[in-house]
Amino acid sequence: MKRLPPLPALHTFLITAQCCNFTRAAEQLFITQGAVSRQIAGLEAHLGYELFIRQARGLDLTAQGKEWLPRVQQVFDLIAEGVEQIGEPRETLQLKAPTCVMRWLLPRLLQWQKERPDVPVALTTTVKHGVDFHREPFDAAVVYGAAPDSALASSLLFDEQLTPVCSPQMALQSPADLQQHLLLHPTRDERDWNAWLQAANLQLSNARAQHFETLDLAMSTASQGMGVAIGDWSLIGDDLSAGRLVMPFELKVRTGLAYYLVCPEKATPSAPLRELMGWLVEQARSR
């Protein structure tokens, strides 16, 4: 491979090509006009052809010089970009999310960090389903409920669709079989099971029940064959795909609520935040 031209000479060529004058190039480079002339002559000798046409009124680029100029400009642009970006502290994105969405969100954030280690994310979990960007220092949040108000820029992740799930070892032939099993409630208010049973036109008398504080606890108990839980089909999709849980019945009930990815409407999201939010929305739509 032919020896590469020296970097200082290429920089001198770039500055000289931009002003087409040895004197002005020397002023910008803080060297003498003679030094500029010698560096250009040395570069031309190295390449084997002239880069400038020397005229009394100044300089013009030769055909070869015109071809060299955008290439050299690109090299120095890349160097300048590296100086700005490499070694700079990385912006850690602050994300808030309710615990109920962790079964879906956490595996995807771990995948994001593998693919984009240059954009770290700090995740804060909460039992609350909303966010107040005026009082909370988050860049974005996952919220659960009705459609967010206009003060938030929001993207729909998925609608809530409730369905019973259980261990693959449990034999359930029809919804009426639920009477024989322990119902695992992911919340204290039992609203999820009540909504599904109503949609299934089913009334259970004296059904046994166990209440949990989080969806994760209910799903973990169900996977061990200790009862039948109910959860959002979108949130437990990974468990279903892995065979840890199964859907004994086809009925999925839409509640009218949903999960949204939000950020302040008036704020201009940074490029890393826009990329993360777009990636999460794409993940939700491709499930």
Side-chain angles (χ1 to χ4, degrees), residues 59 147 242:
L59 302 172

Short mmCIF file of all heavy atoms in Angstrom, two decimals, residues 59 147 242:
data_model
loop_
_atom_site.label_atom_id
_atom_site.label_comp_id
_atom_site.label_asym_id
_atom_site.label_seq_id
_atom_site.Cartn_x
_atom_site.Cartn_y
_atom_site.Cartn_z
N LEU A 59 -4.80 31.38 -6.69
CA LEU A 59 -4.72 29.95 -6.93
C LEU A 59 -6.06 29.40 -7.41
O LEU A 59 -7.12 29.89 -7.02
CB LEU A 59 -4.34 29.21 -5.63
CG LEU A 59 -3.03 29.60 -4.95
CD1 LEU A 59 -2.92 28.91 -3.59
CD2 LEU A 59 -1.84 29.22 -5.84
N ALA A 147 -56.31 7.94 27.81
CA ALA A 147 -55.39 8.71 26.97
C ALA A 147 -54.89 9.93 27.73
O ALA A 147 -55.68 10.65 28.34
CB ALA A 147 -56.08 9.13 25.68
N ALA A 242 -42.44 -18.16 25.99
CA ALA A 242 -41.46 -19.06 26.60
C ALA A 242 -42.09 -20.31 27.18
O ALA A 242 -41.38 -21.23 27.61
CB ALA A 242 -40.69 -18.32 27.68
#
